């Protein structure tokens, strides 16, 4: 069995002695933490993290990765926490271990297969340090190697998860060696019978292949030597899973897939690659259309190589890959190859992500030169440095949203009706405001209420175009509906003064008026009145039947105020507003001012601004509160108190006991003895306000309570 001394021997081939010592220390801590725990196979638990560290040491990963690998199950399975690891091995190791634990906690079991891609992206998005993924992949690889001890159902489930999640992840990162092994292990566990059939077939076929492989290899070597091209030639065994996939996807028989002879030629320089290519094309005739230049046009994950297929002796097809040593390392280890190259340099801490970015930049550069960076961006960048955030719906579906998205964005992403009626969100089962920014892996439930409406304030925090346009559209429609309804009431009231009504107007009159105003319909006209763009009184005059052309000027002019007042309900919506200068509430004497584009603004009769507007009498509308006016109306009150510790709390409690809400508080005029407190509270009407004021007057140390004018 792989022991700690084996790991240290491997590590000291490329790490400093003190770094190897740290790995030994991590092993001691891990062994102590997992003491008494055994794996299903019966061996002590510590052999699992030890083996995981061994896999990473073979990839020549840095010592922090190996230390983290040794401790990767400690947070999840033992009493040792992140802080303990941080204290003993530093921030970076603690963060990697913590990251691996978080990924381990994310369970794919219950998710639909179609969600695999998003699940994988979510794992990537949760990872700030790419080494977390590398440890997780090594962890999975060892678990798959030792899967035999698991019950059948568990084996199948782990195998499916491996093929759906971890294999594509390894592929994106260019880690082909790990990928191929994970594929074969996953295939064996998921389809044991198919696996056995193919393995047997390979065993049988191998015998008579040997001679041909040897013959071709010798021929290639001889030719390269003649042309003085230094190169290594190796025969390649096909992987079982890739044989299976080819048979399945291309409908080929086993022998059609397997009776292909595969070789890899590695050389020193790129130039040599092409010279070797020319040389083997001279030796055996190439199969037309099979040559691929992945050196000039690398694959999305940075893979580079020349591929060609030749007609071999007896007509057998020969697949040849030609690449440099460096390309070969990248092809096997992908992103991990980067640690390998930089291992000699001083291992500046905090450079893990930088290295990942360098790898990425390198691949991006290759892609740009090849001119197909789009595919690259789609596949690699999104996985590594995502601009998205991934969250779960209560049903376990994964939703993908742009970074910075809020609960409202999610609501609209699910359905526009849910967006339009949402009132709150539950994030990880706790209530949260709709403006909450979402984070990866959260469980989000959107709470809706029938009749709820979008709030214009949402436009300040939503980030998706979908949410923004739906909110805008809703508000525009709503505003237009409200304007039409208010406009109808305003115009009807004006017409009443002339003993007329909208229903009794002749079609000719309406048509003429619309032509005059260049409008298409009565609705358009009513909307303009409701929005204050046109005055109801002037429109009414336009609609009065003309006795004759010259009599028009003598049309009846009503006495101002003679018409019945427009009744205010408080539910008119966005086209009716209450002036902030005087804060009218039901029960106050009020006046309406027609403000172009804003609709009707309600003031109190005594408001000082009303005096200013008196010189435009045509813009004032006679209004009154309807008996049943409802809603919450803000009003300002002022309290003078002798300075007393804790009094603010008493006042606040008194106000809310009286069923009023406090919207804001200001403190002023502070001297030794008196304090003046200003509150904006919301009340239903004057009676309600009177009750609040009376209760406040009853508080000890409160000397004066007034409504602010
Ligand atoms: Mn593990």
């Amino acid at each position: 069995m792989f022991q700690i001394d084996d790991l240290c021997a491997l590590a000291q081939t490329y790490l400093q002695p003190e770094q190897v010592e740290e790995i030994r220390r991590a092993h001691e801590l891990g062994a102590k933490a997992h003491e008494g725990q055994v794996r299903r196979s019966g061996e002590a638990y510590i052999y699992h993290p030890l083996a995981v560290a061994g896999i990473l040491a073979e990839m020549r990963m840095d010592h922090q990765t190996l230390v983290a690998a040794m401790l990767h199950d400690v947070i999840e399975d033992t009493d040792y926490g992140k802080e303990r690891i941080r204290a003993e091995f530093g921030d970076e190791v603690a963060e990697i271990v913590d990251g691996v634990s978080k990924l381990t906690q994310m369970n794919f079991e219950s998710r639909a297969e179609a969600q695999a891609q998003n699940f994988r992206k979510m794992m990537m998005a949760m990872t700030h340090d790419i080494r977390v993924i590398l440890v997780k992949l090594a962890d999975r690889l060892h678990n798959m190697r030792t899967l035999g001890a698991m019950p059948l159902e568990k084996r199948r489930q782990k195998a499916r998860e491996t093929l759906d999640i971890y294999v594509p992840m390894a592929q994106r990162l260019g880690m082909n060696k790990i990928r191929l092994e994970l594929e074969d292990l996953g295939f064996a566990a998921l389809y044991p019978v198919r696996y056995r059939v193919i393995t047997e077939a390979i065993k049988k076929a191998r015998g008579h292949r040997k001679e041909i492989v040897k013959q071709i290899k010798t021929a290639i070597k001889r030719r390269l030597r003649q042309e003085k091209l230094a190169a290594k030639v190796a025969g390649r065994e096909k992987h079982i899973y890739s044989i299976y996939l080819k048979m399945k996807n291309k409908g080929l028989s086993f022998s059609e897939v397997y009776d292909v002879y595969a070789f890899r030629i590695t050389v020193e320089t790129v130039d040599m690659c092409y010279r070797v290519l020319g040389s083997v094309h001279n030796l055996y005739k190439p199969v037309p259309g099979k040559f691929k230049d992945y050196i000039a046009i690398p694959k999305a994950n940075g893979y580079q190589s020349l591929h060609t297929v030749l007609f071999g002796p007896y007509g057998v097809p020969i697949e040849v890959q030609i690449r440099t040593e460096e390309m070969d390392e990248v092809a096997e280890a992908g992103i991990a190859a980067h640690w390998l190259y930089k291992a000699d340099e001083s291992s500046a801490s905090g450079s893990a992500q930088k290295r990942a970015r360098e790898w990425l930049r390198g691949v991006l550069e290759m892609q740009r030169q090849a001119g197909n960076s789009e595919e690259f961006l789609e596949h690699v960048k999104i996985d590594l440095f995502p601009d998205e955030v991934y969250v779960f719906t209560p049903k376990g579906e994964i939703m993908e949203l742009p970074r910075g998205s809020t609960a409202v964005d999610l609501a609209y992403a699910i359905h526009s009706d849910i967006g339009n009626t949402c009132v709150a969100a539950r994030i990880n089962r706790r209530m949260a405001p709709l403006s909450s920014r979402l984070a990866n892996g959260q469980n989000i439930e959107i709470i809706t209420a029938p009749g709820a409406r979008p709030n214009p304030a949402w436009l300040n925090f939503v980030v998706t175009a979908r949410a923004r346009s739906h909110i805008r559209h809703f508000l525009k429609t709503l505003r237009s509906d409200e304007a039409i309804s208010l406009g109808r009431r305003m115009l009807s009231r004006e017409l009443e003064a002339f003993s007329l009504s909208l229903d009794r107007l002749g079609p000719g009159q309406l048509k003429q008026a619309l032509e005059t105003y260049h409008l298409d319909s009565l609705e358009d006209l009513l909307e303009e009145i409701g929005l204050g763009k046109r005055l109801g009184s002037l429109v009414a005059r336009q609609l009065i039947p003309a006795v004759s052309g010259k009599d028009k000027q003598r049309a009846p002019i009503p006495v101002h105020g003679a018409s019945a007042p427009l009744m205010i309900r408080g539910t008119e919506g966005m086209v009716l507003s209450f002036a902030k200068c005087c804060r009218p509430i039901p029960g106050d004497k009020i006046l309406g001012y027609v403000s172009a584009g804003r609709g009707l603004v309600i003031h109190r009769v005594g408001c000082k601004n009303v005096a200013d507007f008196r010189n435009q009498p045509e813009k004032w509308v006679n209004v009154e509160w309807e008996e049943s006016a409802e809603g919450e109306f803000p009003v300002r009150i002022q309290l003078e108190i002798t300075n007393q510790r804790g009094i603010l709390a008493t006042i606040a409690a008194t106000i809310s006991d009286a069923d009023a809400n406090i919207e804001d508080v200001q403190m002023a005029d502070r001297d030794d003895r008196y304090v003046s407190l200003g509150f904006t509270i919301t009340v239903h009407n004057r009676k309600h306000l009177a009750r609040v004021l009376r209760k406040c007057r009853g508080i000890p140390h409160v000397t004066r309570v007034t409504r602010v004018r």
Side-chain angles (χ1 to χ4, degrees), residues 6 47 53 57 74 89 134 138 152 161 233 242 246 267 311 397 409 423 460 463 466 468 486 513 524 528 560-561 629:
D6 302 322
Y47 283 107
V74 160
F89 297 99
L134 303 186
L152 186 72
E161 192 178 280
V233 183
S242 66
K246 265 206 182 121
V267 296
F311 291 109
E397 267 174 275
D409 291 293
V423 288
N460 296 328
V463 304
R466 186 181 158 81
R468 193 173 296 279
L486 180 65
D524 291 350
E528 294 216 328
H560 181 71

Side-chain angles (χ1 to χ4, degrees), residues 106 145 217 221 319 447 477 542 602 615 670 709:
M106 281 180 48
R145 282 177 184 171
K217 196 168 157 184
K221 274 184 161 175
E319 277 179 16
I447 298 164
T477 319
Q542 182 74 33
I602 308 297
N615 48 11
R670 180 163 258 245
R709 293 222 151 231

Side-chain angles (χ1 to χ4, degrees), residues 125-294:
M126 285 172 72
T127 306
H128 301 297
D129 187 330
I130 192 67
R131 290 177 294 182
V132 169
I133 298 288
L134 303 186
V135 173
K136 191 68 204 162
L137 283 171
D139 176 42
R140 176 49 61 116
L141 181 58
H142 184 248
N143 283 336
M144 289 303 289
R145 282 177 184 171
T146 54
L147 202 58
M150 290 279 177
L152 186 72
E153 204 27 59
K154 192 92 185 157
R155 253 187 276 172
R156 291 175 57 83
Q157 180 233 316
K158 288 280 164 204
R160 181 162 286 137
E161 192 178 280
T162 298
L163 292 177
D164 284 349
I165 309 284
Y166 292 96
V167 162
M169 214 183 249
Q171 171 152 26
R172 295 278 186 268
L173 297 174
M175 304 169 73
N176 285 316
K177 198 164 169 237
I178 284 195
R179 189 202 88 210
L180 291 166
E181 192 177 346
L182 285 175
E183 277 180 349
D184 279 359
L185 291 167
F187 177 55
L190 198 56
Y191 302 111
V193 178
R194 296 176 213 191
Y195 181 83
R196 207 169 48 240
V197 169
I198 295 178
T199 321
E200 294 291 321
I202 289 174
K203 232 184 250 163
K204 248 191 259 159
R206 200 176 275 151
H208 89 272
R209 273 169 62 96
K210 243 187 190 161
E211 198 43 48
I212 302 176
V213 169
K214 205 174 141 196
Q215 198 183 326
I216 296 170
K217 196 168 157 184
T218 313
I220 293 175
K221 274 184 161 175
R222 192 187 308 124
R223 173 58 66 98
L224 293 178
R225 221 178 11 250
Q226 281 168 4
E227 302 197 9
K228 299 201 167 41
L229 296 170
K232 282 186 208 140
V233 183
R236 273 190 311 123
E237 273 286 332
K238 280 237 149 84
H239 283 262
I240 295 161
Y241 188 60
S242 66
I243 292 172
Y244 169 70
L245 279 189
K246 265 206 182 121
M247 288 169 65
K248 187 171 155 234
N249 296 341
K250 297 190 178 168
L252 300 173
S253 70
F254 172 78
S255 58
E256 279 171 304
V257 177
Y258 192 67
D259 291 347
V260 172
Y261 295 78
F263 295 87
R264 179 171 304 146
I265 306 177
T266 43
V267 296
E268 287 278 312
T269 63
V270 173
D271 169 63
M272 285 279 279
C273 293
Y274 291 100
R275 286 163 65 190
V276 168
L277 177 76
S279 167
V280 295
H281 277 188
N282 271 333
L283 179 62
Y284 300 115
K285 225 161 111 98
V287 178
K290 289 287 187 182
F291 169 66
K292 291 208 179 77
D293 187 346
Y294 292 121

Side-chain angles (χ1 to χ4, degrees), residues 39 45 48-49 52 72-73 77 104 136 139-140 143:
R39 302 195 86 209
Y45 196 88
H48 163 62
V52 173
H72 79 267
D73 281 330
D77 294 345
T104 305
K136 191 68 204 162
D139 176 42
R140 176 49 61 116
N143 283 336

